[in-house]
Each structure stands twice: as C-alpha cells, then as structure tokens.
Amino acid sequence: RKEVEQDPGPFNVPEGATVAFNCTYSNSASQSFFWYRQDCRKEPKLLMSVYSSGNEDGRFTAQLNRASQYISLLIRDSKLSDSATYLCVVEISGNTPLVFGKGTRLSVIA
Amino acid sequence: DAGVIQSPRHEVTEMGQEVTLRCKPISGHNSLFWYRQTMMRGLELLIYFNNNVPIDDSGMPEDRFSAKMPNASFSTLKIQPSEPRDSAVYFCASSVDSLAFFGQGTRLTVV
C-alpha cells in the first residue's frame, strides 16, 4: 500500500462549484498533515496545514480524520485560478521528510 | 529572503556526462531535502539533511547519485554518469518547524 494515496483526477468543474478531494495515508503514527498546490511546471507551494480540529482559510477547508486515516480538502466557489494539482502531504514526525501523494489535478472551467 | 535557490533551471546533457545540481536553502532552515518528480512516479525523496548531516539517502536510486551539504547554505546533487532515465525535475526544499519551501527546480534532460 502506498504511503499517501490520492485520486489523480482530473476533476473538471465549472466556476463557482464546490469540489472536494480526499487523501488516505498508511502510517498511523503520522503527526503532521498539509495540502500543497502545484501549478504546471512550477514548484509545490504550501496551501495549508491540516489540524485535527479542521481548519478553514477563506474558500478552503481542510479536515483530518485520524481514525480512518484520511485528509480532505474542500474548495468552495471555485475560481479559474484554482486550476492546479493539489498534493496531499504527510509528515511522520518533526524533522522527517514530507511524504507526498501524487496529486489530484483540478481544472476549473469558465 | 529570496527563498530556496536552485541552479541551473534547465540542463540538457548527453548520456554519460556528469551533472551537478545546486541548491541554496533559506537561511535559518535546518533541514534540506532533494526530491525528484516525474509524471509516472510523482515526487520522490532522494535524500535529506538535518543540520548539514545526511540522515537518510535510501531514496537515492543508485551509486551514480551522490549529494553533499558542506555548509548550511549550500548543497549539491551529482549524477555521474547520467542516463536518459534520470530525466526529471529535481527539487530542493528546505524546512523549519515542518514547513517546507521548494526551489523552482532543475529540469534535467539526458539525451
């Protein structure tokens, strides 16, 4: 089983739609969780951390379910500029490398 | 701060040649990572350093790959000899407190 698994997509959604991505991780000892965003031919950039209590940043909501070992990202009111690949990222413990999923590709269509 | 700086941005080389990729991490970050990204395999960790010391190089594909971090502000990844299957984007990232920041990557093409 892969350490971090994501549906590769692509998810093609119209502007204004709500879209959700899920991600599962295999190591139950994982401590930190993140969503990164990667635009075409660019480097990954931190989108948001994921906290146990769930957290929201504008149109973006991230949630963590430790019991089921999955992380989710919800994007409301999608914009064209949200088109990118979203990478689910897990860290086992501090100072250990981030483990990346292969990403979910989102395309927001006018 | 300029962020993580990688050079060169693009490299095209012939099979068998030596390739050296360079990285300058963000000042104050104590961890540095080298990743490789391909369409097929996604982002794969090659090696990482904590406080300039290599911690885990199990991701390095084979002996043709080597990495060094002689000081806190510089790291290199060397491939010798290079092969066409090494073609990929190589990212360097540095982190502090679990927050990692990536350089713009080096797009390597081995022909």
Side-chain angles (χ1 to χ4, degrees):
Chain A
R1 183 182 170 186
K2 296 194 177 88
E3 290 189 73
V4 181
E5 293 201 61
Q6 297 182 249
D7 181 342
F11 284 60
N12 299 314
V13 302
E15 270 187 294
T18 295
V19 61
F21 310 133
N22 286 332
C23 158
T24 58
Y25 60 95
S26 60
N27 191 330
S28 60
S30 301
Q31 294 187 5
S32 302
F33 309 90
F34 310 91
W35 283 101
Y36 275 67
R37 170 193 168 129
Q38 187 172 23
D39 292 291
C40 188
R41 301 181 80 85
K42 300 283 189 181
E43 72 275 21
K45 291 183 179 177
L46 177 66
L47 177 66
M48 59 196 303
S49 302
V50 186
Y51 303 121
S52 297
S53 54
N55 49 300
E56 190 173 305
D57 183 2
R59 298 180 294 108
F60 297 81
T61 300
Q63 292 195 311
L64 167 65
N65 184 318
R66 285 190 182 272
S68 302
Q69 293 181 211
Y70 81 78
I71 306 150
S72 64
L73 177 68
L74 182 79
I75 306 175
R76 289 181 299 277
D77 188 22
S78 300
K79 312 289 184 193
L80 294 175
S81 57
D82 294 334
S83 298
T85 296
Y86 291 83
L87 302 162
C88 175
V89 185
V90 172
E91 184 185 48
I92 309 302
S93 62
N95 284 334
T96 60
L98 301 179
V99 180
F100 286 78
K102 287 191 177 180
T104 297
R105 196 151 56 95
L106 171 66
S107 183
V108 181
I109 305 161
Chain B
D1 199 314
V4 177
I5 299 173
Q6 290 187 246
S7 64
R9 292 289 306 279
H10 302 273
E11 177 81 31
V12 180
T13 190
E14 290 185 344
M15 182 172 66
Q17 296 298 306
E18 176 181 304
V19 175
T20 299
L21 312 182
R22 296 173 177 80
C23 175
K24 180 181 184 331
I26 294 173
S27 177
H29 284 196
N30 58 352
S31 296
L32 182 141
F33 310 90
W34 282 100
Y35 286 89
R36 177 173 68 176
Q37 187 174 39
T38 60
M39 287 291 292
M40 288 297 295
R41 302 171 70 93
L43 265 168
E44 300 175 285
L45 178 72
L46 299 177
I47 185 172
Y48 79 100
F49 297 83
N50 273 349
N51 297 316
N52 313 340
V53 177
I55 302 301
D56 183 357
D57 66 354
S58 59
M60 298 284 258
E62 48 200 87
D63 291 345
R64 297 184 298 107
F65 285 67
S66 62
K68 293 182 181 179
M69 191 166 186
N71 57 61
S73 59
F74 184 64
S75 177
T76 59
L77 177 68
K78 185 182 292 187
I79 308 173
Q80 180 186 25
S82 58
E83 297 182 2
R85 61 190 166 123
D86 301 331
S87 298
V89 180
Y90 290 80
F91 286 107
C92 174
S94 68
S95 77
V96 65
D97 296 335
S98 300
L99 296 179
F101 297 86
F102 283 75
Q104 292 182 302
T106 295
R107 185 171 295 274
L108 174 65
T109 303
V110 183
V111 298

